[in-house]
């Protein structure tokens, strides 16, 4: 590939794209239909996953109250971690009640503690996606003291016989309860010991309760931080409506906050834990001293980076549109429900977000360091499941997957997408305008076959989470089939060999077979489509193209060339195409490189198989409120480097532009396993030079 060529039109297009990704300015006061148009971009990187366990089936309690089909899963496992005792045992909580240990060698699951049975009949997991046995974390000195901590939900008689601590929400219907357990033998594979209740919080809604509890892994004995327990407490599902709609911004209540407590202390109001003196609101009248950060709707998962920065990252599930990652500091205010991400939330509008006000800086909100939006389809009910919810991850600092180092790995719970962003790019911006780019990850099985987590989970709703073992190596967990996969490697997308065939110096007329020879020119060092093509009978496909007939028919192939659009830049639907896998005039693939990325036929990867062209690239977001594909490919009249790689065995297709190491577009399709390559357009003019084709000879 030759050196990247910049131009004024290209630079302006990039600036325009960056501006589009920013929150709208104060001069724009109307609703925003596409808050974050720069959807996760392809990374060209993939995770190789290996199934290591499947946990037993389970049902919510009480089963007769289950009405939400999203609770009817194989089971409801939501985390996997490693015991901090050097034993190599891993643990898995199931929201339906049981805590499992996985054998170090076989990864066979065995029940360690039945939390649901312990608190029956008050234990409740039948309504609400996070209700039940929500989380477990082990004290850093578990090997010595046998202590670990759980959070679960109670209803029924508990609502009248047990009293919440701190301030419950009006019309409390559920209690989130944190308990400390002490195992008499920390090495045992089944719990025996004692327990005590630490904290009980009352919620009026059945969602957004206590999502996670955990210790900071960066703390060491003797540090003020050591042994402090963090709790991610949601808004109870009512943070934007009703008489408790202001709870996330109200420092007198615990809902919609991250709390920080000392389980070994006793100066709390109930005398069962301590309030760290260095908490940002400790000792302040009218404020809950346990609060560490606030302004949250559904603080789903938090982790600390173990790298030099030691930063705390929180994945926050949004209401209308925004799934976000935040860099949490003491006293951080995420802005809910005045803000969703870096946008204004209007409680009277159930569908759209709005621009930030001119005076936004005075509020000091903590805006996302990375975020993506929902892109719901037209007609989508603004109060129904959007099909998106972020599940927080962690910054990879492990030893076995060097390609992932420094990347914050996370997933989308619902659709099972795998994503990352670079930790070094995740920087706080008080204005909310700068965010780290999010990239998508491909998944592969151990044979090298590209797969999706939906395929591995056997369901369109994956209910996917990501977590890590004691060495920081990643694992994936799906409720859909109750399976756990370990990430055992990484792969580059479309990393097949395209040797030994090599074809170059192919600019003579004899080297090409055009659809309409009279429209083409071959001056010696270029291949020129000099006259626009016209639509032809048969399947909808490029109007005019020429097939390279020099060299053999190829299986896997790689096309490297420079292309230029000669159609004036004022034409917004300009395009050139690279053909590959060509078998006949109605059977081939093509990569469409266009100025426009907002309509179906433009700027994508397509298959023509004796029928209308079918868009197959992974970047097209389909029938959405604001449909679009990858960023526009060619917006000027300059030469651009293009690479198109097709791996016949796996069906992987990647399109690269201007020397970028990350693909502009990707696809996985196995319709055509061999064919020839070519160049053309729909109804525009352009040219090609410096062509080199490599590949494997078709069998």
């Amino acid at each position: 590939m030759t050196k990247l060529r910049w131009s004024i039109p290209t630079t302006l297009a990039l600036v325009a794209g960056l501006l589009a990704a920013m929150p709208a300015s104060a001069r724009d006061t109307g609703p925003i239909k596409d808050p974050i148009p720069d959807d996760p971009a392809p990374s060209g990187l993939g995770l190789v996953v290996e199934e290591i366990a499947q946990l037993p089936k389970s049902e919510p309690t009480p089963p007769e109250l289950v009405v939400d089909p999203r609770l009817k899963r194989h089971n409801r496992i939501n985390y996997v971690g490693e015991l901090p005792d050097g034993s190599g045992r891993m643990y898995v909580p199931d929201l339906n009640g049981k805590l499992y240990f996985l054998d170090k060698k076989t990864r066979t699951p065995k029940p360690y503690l039945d939390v649901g049975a312990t608190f029956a009949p008050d234990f409740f997991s039948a309504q609400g996606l996070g209700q039940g046995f929500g989380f477990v974390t082990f004290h850093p000195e578990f090997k010595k003291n046998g202590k670990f901590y759980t959070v679960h939900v109670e209803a029924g008689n508990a609502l009248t016989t047990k009293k919440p601590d701190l301030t419950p929400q009006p019309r409390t219907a559920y209690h989130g309860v944190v308990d400390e357990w002490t195992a008499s033998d920390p090495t045992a594979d089944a719990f025996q010991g004692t327990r005590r209740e630490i904290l009980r919080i009352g919620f009026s809604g059945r969602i957004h309760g206590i999502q996670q509890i955990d210790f900071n892994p960066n703390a060491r004995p003797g540090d003020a931080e050591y042994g402090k327990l963090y709790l991610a407490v949601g808004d109870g599902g009512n943070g934007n409506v009703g008489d408790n709609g202001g709870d996330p911004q109200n420092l007198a209540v615990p809902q919609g906050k991250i709390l920080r407590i000392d389980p070994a202390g006793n100066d709390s109001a109930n005398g069962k834990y301590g309030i760290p003196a260095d908490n940002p609101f400790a000792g302040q009248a009218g404020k809950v001293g346990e609060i560490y950060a606030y302004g949250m709707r559904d603080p789903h998962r938090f982790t600390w980076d173990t790298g030099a920065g030691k930063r705390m990252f929180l994945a926050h599930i949004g209401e209308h549109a925004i799934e976000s990652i935040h860099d949490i500091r003491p006293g951080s205010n995420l802005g809910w429900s005045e803000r969703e991400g870096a946008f204004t939330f209007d409680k009277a509008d159930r569908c759209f977000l709005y621009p930030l006000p001119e005076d936004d800086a005075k509020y000091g909100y903590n805006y996302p360091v990375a975020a993506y939006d929902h892109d719901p389809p037209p007609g989508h009910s603004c109060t129904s499941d959007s099909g998106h919810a972020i599940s927080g991850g962690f910054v990879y600092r492990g030893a076995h997957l060097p390609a992932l180092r420094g990347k914050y790995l996370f997933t989308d719970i619902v659709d099972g997408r795998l994503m990352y962003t670079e930790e070094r790019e995740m920087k706080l911006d008080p204005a909310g305008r700068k965010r780290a780019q999010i990239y998508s990850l491909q998944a592969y099985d151990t044979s090298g076959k590209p797969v999706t987590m939906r395929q591995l989970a056997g369901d369109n709703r994956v209910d996917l989470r990501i977590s890590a073992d004691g060495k920081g190596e990643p694992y994936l967990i799906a409720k859909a089939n109750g399976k756990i996969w370990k990430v055992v490697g990484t792969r580059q997308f479309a990393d097949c060999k395209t040797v030994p065939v090599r074809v170059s110096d192919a600019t003579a007329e004899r080297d090409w077979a055009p659809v309409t020879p009279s429209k083409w020119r071959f001056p010696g060092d270029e291949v020129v489509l000099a006259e626009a093509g016209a639509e032809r009978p048969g399947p909808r496909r490029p109007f005019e193209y020429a097939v390279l007939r020099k060299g053999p028919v190829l299986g896997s192939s790689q096309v490297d060339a420079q292309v230029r659009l000669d159609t004036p830049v004022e034409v917004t639907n300009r395009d050139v195409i690279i053909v590959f896998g060509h078998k006949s005039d109605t059977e081939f693939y093509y990569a469409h490189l266009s100025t426009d990325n907002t309509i179906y036929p433009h700027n994508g990867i397509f298959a023509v198989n004796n029928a209308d062209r079918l868009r197959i690239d992974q970047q097209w977001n389909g029938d959405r409120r604001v449909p679009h594909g990858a960023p526009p490919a060619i917006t000027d009249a300059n030469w651009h480097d293009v690479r198109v790689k097709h791996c016949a065995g796996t069906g992987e297709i990647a399109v690269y532009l201007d020397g970028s190491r990350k693909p502009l577009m990707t696809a996985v399709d196995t319709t055509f396993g061999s064919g020839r390559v070519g160049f053309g357009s729909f109804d525009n003019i352009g040219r090609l030079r410096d062509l080199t084709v490599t590949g494997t000879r078709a069998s």
Side-chain angles (χ1 to χ4, degrees):
M1 302 292 283
T2 56
K3 188 176 180 181
L4 172 64
R5 291 168 173 79
W6 293 96
S7 67
I8 291 176
T10 299
T11 303
L12 291 175
L14 289 172
V15 170
L18 290 172
L19 290 173
M22 295 179 183
S25 65
R27 65 177 178 273
D28 302 320
T29 58
I32 303 171
K33 293 186 177 181
D34 191 9
I36 304 178
D38 54 341
D39 283 346
S43 67
L45 184 63
L47 306 181
V48 180
V49 299
E50 179 180 31
E51 181 183 329
I52 65 164
Q54 183 175 42
L55 279 292
K57 288 180 67 66
S58 65
E59 292 184 354
T61 301
E64 64 272 13
L65 294 183
V66 179
V67 294
D68 188 340
R70 296 175 297 176
L71 273 65
K72 297 176 182 179
R73 311 267 70 195
H74 177 88
N75 56 34
R76 296 173 66 207
I77 57 175
N78 66 355
Y79 190 79
V80 59
E82 183 175 333
L83 292 166
D85 61 358
S87 68
R89 295 175 297 174
M90 302 189 76
Y91 60 90
V92 183
D94 183 337
L95 281 157
N96 289 334
K98 290 183 179 179
L99 172 61
Y100 294 91
F101 279 5
L102 303 182
D103 181 82
K104 177 181 179 180
K105 294 182 179 179
T106 67
R107 296 308 186 199
T108 302
K110 296 181 180 179
Y112 177 74
L113 171 65
D114 192 335
V115 174
T118 301
F119 297 104
D122 293 336
F123 178 82
F124 188 88
S125 66
Q127 295 176 3
L129 296 177
Q131 302 279 69
F133 168 32
F135 209 83
V136 60
T137 188
F138 290 78
H139 192 281
E141 295 185 10
F142 172 75
K143 184 176 182 179
K144 294 181 180 179
N145 63 25
K147 294 187 182 300
F148 63 97
Y149 300 82
T150 64
V151 60
H152 72 277
V153 172
E154 293 183 10
N157 290 333
L159 301 178
T160 56
T161 62
K162 301 174 183 178
K163 182 180 179 181
D165 303 302
L166 305 177
T167 303
Q169 291 181 327
R171 296 180 295 279
T172 293
Y174 306 94
H175 292 173
V177 188
V178 180
D179 284 275
E180 177 186 83
W181 307 73
T182 303
S184 54
D185 179 5
T187 66
D189 289 331
F191 175 77
Q192 285 188 337
T194 60
R195 64 173 172 84
R196 71 182 182 97
E197 184 176 308
I198 292 180
L199 177 62
R200 180 177 293 260
I201 297 177
F203 299 94
S204 59
R206 61 176 181 266
I207 56 175
H208 311 166
I210 304 176
Q211 293 284 40
Q212 180 183 354
I213 54 175
D214 223 337
F215 295 96
N216 185 343
N218 296 314
R220 296 293 177 263
D223 296 346
E225 175 73 350
Y226 190 71
K228 303 303 184 292
L229 183 66
Y230 289 74
L231 296 78
V233 182
D235 66 4
N238 296 303
N240 64 321
V241 294
D243 51 13
N244 55 307
D247 282 356
Q249 293 297 316
N250 183 357
L251 293 174
V253 301
Q255 293 84 9
K257 317 293 193 302
I258 289 179
L259 308 182
R260 177 174 177 259
I261 66 173
D262 180 4
N266 59 11
D267 62 344
S268 61
N270 66 8
K272 298 176 181 178
Y273 60 88
I275 300 175
D278 57 349
N279 276 3
F281 306 107
Q284 297 183 24
K287 299 178 181 178
V288 175
E290 290 89 336
I291 295 173
Y292 184 78
Y294 65 110
M296 301 166 195
R297 174 183 181 268
D298 190 5
H300 187 254
R301 291 288 183 266
F302 58 85
T303 53
W304 287 265
D305 181 11
T306 57
K310 312 296 184 186
R311 295 195 288 169
M312 181 183 186
F313 291 113
L314 169 72
H316 187 262
I317 297 177
E319 169 90 357
H320 285 346
I322 307 301
E323 305 301 313
S324 55
I325 303 164
H326 297 258
D327 180 341
I328 300 297
R329 310 291 174 88
S332 289
N333 179 4
L334 275 59
W336 179 253
S337 60
E338 302 300 323
R339 301 286 183 270
E340 182 179 338
F343 302 90
T344 297
F345 181 86
D346 184 346
K347 298 179 181 65
D349 188 337
R350 300 292 291 158
C351 289
F352 297 106
L353 300 176
Y354 290 80
L356 297 176
E358 286 279 9
D359 62 349
D360 184 67
K362 72 181 183 182
Y363 299 103
Y365 291 132
N366 176 298
Y367 287 130
V369 293
Y372 64 101
D373 66 4
H374 293 176
D375 282 330
H380 171 77
S381 170
C382 301
T383 59
S384 64
D385 187 351
S386 67
H388 297 286
I390 190 171
S391 176
F394 62 98
V395 179
Y396 180 80
R397 301 292 181 188
H400 297 300
L401 306 170
L404 300 182
R405 286 182 189 145
K407 293 175 171 55
Y408 178 88
L409 307 173
F410 65 100
T411 72
D412 188 280
I413 294 173
V414 183
D415 64 23
R417 280 184 295 173
L418 305 171
M419 293 172 277
Y420 76 83
T421 187
E422 298 285 353
E423 181 271 334
R424 66 176 181 272
E425 298 176 5
M426 299 166 71
K427 299 178 180 179
L428 281 172
D429 176 19
R433 290 188 170 90
K434 298 177 182 178
R435 298 183 305 272
Q437 175 65 54
I438 292 175
Y439 296 96
S440 60
L441 289 159
Q442 179 66 50
Y444 296 89
D445 64 20
T446 52
S447 73
K449 177 184 176 181
V451 294
T452 67
M453 294 311 300
R454 282 176 165 170
Q455 291 171 331
L456 292 179
D459 199 300
N460 281 336
R461 184 182 179 92
V462 182
D463 271 321
L464 186 70
R465 273 81 172 167
I466 187 169
S467 49
D469 62 19
K471 295 181 180 179
E473 300 302 327
Y475 291 75
L476 298 165
I477 311 102
K479 294 179 185 178
N481 58 3
K483 291 186 176 183
I484 300 175
W485 299 266
K486 183 178 181 180
V487 179
V488 295
T490 59
R491 286 177 61 106
Q492 286 299 121
F493 187 85
D495 195 27
C496 58
K497 293 182 179 180
T498 54
V499 291
V501 177
R502 179 184 175 89
V503 179
S504 58
D505 297 324
T507 55
E509 185 174 359
R510 65 178 178 274
D511 298 328
W512 295 85
V515 171
T516 311
S518 62
K519 297 181 183 294
W520 293 79
R521 305 288 183 269
F522 301 91
D525 59 351
E526 297 177 354
V527 176
V528 182
L529 175 56
E531 183 181 338
E535 186 171 4
R536 295 171 289 126
R540 180 79 173 179
R541 62 201 188 281
F543 298 169
E544 186 63 38
Y545 64 90
V547 174
L548 179 68
R549 59 186 177 187
K550 183 178 181 180
V553 175
L554 300 177
S556 295
S557 64
Q558 178 173 303
V559 179
D560 287 291
Q562 290 185 353
V563 299
R564 193 181 86 183
L565 264 165
D566 293 339
T567 300
V569 294
E570 291 78 18
V571 178
T572 59
N573 61 348
R574 306 154 70 237
D575 72 89
V576 292
I577 64 162
I578 302 295
V579 172
F580 56 102
H582 186 277
K583 305 177 83 67
S584 74
D585 186 38
T586 58
E587 298 172 296
F588 59 93
Y589 293 118
Y590 67 94
H592 190 276
L593 304 175
S594 174
T595 299
D596 189 345
N597 72 334
T598 61
I599 60 174
Y600 180 84
H602 283 267
N603 213 55
I605 303 172
F606 297 82
V608 178
N609 188 21
N610 295 307
D612 190 7
R613 45 118 205 253
L614 175 67
R615 187 158 191 162
I616 59 174
D617 57 286
Q618 297 169 324
Q619 284 62 61
W620 180 249
N621 68 6
D623 186 19
R624 298 295 193 236
R625 183 179 288 156
V626 184
H628 59 79
I634 299 177
T635 60
D636 53 33
N638 297 329
W639 288 98
H640 289 272
D641 294 322
V642 174
R643 169 174 289 174
V644 177
K645 191 166 185 180
H646 172 217
C647 296
T650 61
E652 294 169 278
I653 301 166
V655 179
Y656 299 86
L657 192 69
D658 290 328
S660 173
R661 294 184 179 182
K662 293 182 172 64
L664 177 72
M665 296 178 283
T666 57
V668 178
D669 186 271
T670 56
T671 303
F672 305 119
S674 63
R676 292 188 174 274
V677 305
F679 167 73
S681 176
F682 266 81
D683 53 359
N684 290 275
I685 56 176
R687 58 191 66 207
L688 172 145
R689 71 183 185 187
D690 296 346
L691 172 68
T692 299
V693 180
T694 57
T696 58
R697 189 182 297 268
S699 59

